[in-house]
Amino acid sequence: MDKILYNIIYAGAWLRAIFPLEFLYVIADVIYYPLYYIIRYRRKLVRKNLTNAFPDKAVKEIIRIEKQFYRHFCDYLFETVKLLHISDAEMKRRFVFKNIELLESLMKDGNSCLMMLGHYGNWEWVTSITLWYQDENAVIGQIYRPLKNKAFDRFFFNLRKRFHSLGITKNDTLREIVKIRKSKKKILMGFISDQKPSASHIYYWTPFLNQDTPMLTGTERIACQTGFSVVYLDVTKKQRGYYEGEIKLITADPKSTTAFEITEKYTRMLEETILRQPAYWLWTHNRWKYKREQST
């Protein structure tokens, strides 16, 4: 049954992906209206998240950001499907990586690097970094949480390999890193680190978007164990269908950092990204489900 559902999903996505993005954006504009006004997909949660994150903004401004987010979300869906048919040249034109030389410097002499980012802009397009940073001695990949639906999980897993990056499940992260290191390869691994931790793995709280927030600390733990450098990808949406990701240093020496210093730096950098253009973060995520008093 899962195989049949996967084939249906893939066929439907493939048929849409053959059209140019300009045409897909027309469909996205049409879908926005029922999604926002009729289906009202997670609208209560989005409104709550925005209101709590920006308590000083008027309701009119909150609604403006909310509508802008849903329009972007529809764009994101079709941009992601387009990965099935987009050329390397078009992808490189639409997602530009800045400060690649920092990455090259950190990864010279066999060193490895962890890249932290958020659910911001179009995070599925970030795998195109392989078009910008190319090193036959490096393994480039991303960590992901498997989806509950096996057909959709398989679809997104294969989609994320479009630019020849390696997908590693969250629970296999350390095992795979050790395996790659034994093969004498260096590693560039992406971590989307703005999701909420599971209730049993909350170790650090910090103010984030005006709310007391539990943060994932796994990336910091891996960095401190391996000594891998850590960078942040600061994404900006330049215009519809065009993004820029600037690589910024968090630390070149994680073993010299204090507890949760890496996580805190990442949080502040992500917050700065969101505040610059708040509509392009994933506000549908139930990010503040847990409260500090519940975890003590």
Side-chain angles (χ1 to χ4, degrees), residues 215-263:
M215 300 300 298
L216 288 169
T217 56
T219 310
E220 175 174 327
R221 186 168 62 253
I222 291 171
C224 291
Q225 288 177 353
T226 61
F228 293 174
S229 301
V230 186
V231 297
Y232 171 69
L233 187 66
D234 184 13
V235 176
T236 303
K237 185 172 184 177
K238 307 301 288 185
Q239 63 184 78
R240 197 175 200 182
Y242 291 87
Y243 301 88
E244 183 178 274
E246 183 175 359
I247 300 165
K248 297 183 176 181
L249 181 66
I250 292 180
T251 179
D253 184 14
K255 291 188 176 182
S256 69
T257 60
T258 58
F260 306 119
E261 180 181 337
I262 292 172
T263 302

Side-chain angles (χ1 to χ4, degrees), residues 247-281:
I247 300 165
K248 297 183 176 181
L249 181 66
I250 292 180
T251 179
D253 184 14
K255 291 188 176 182
S256 69
T257 60
T258 58
F260 306 119
E261 180 181 337
I262 292 172
T263 302
E264 181 63 25
K265 284 184 177 180
Y266 162 74
T267 305
R268 302 282 71 84
M269 296 169 92
L270 174 64
E271 187 174 56
E272 185 177 334
T273 299
I274 296 169
L275 293 177
R276 186 173 60 230
Q277 294 177 304
Y280 305 136
W281 191 52

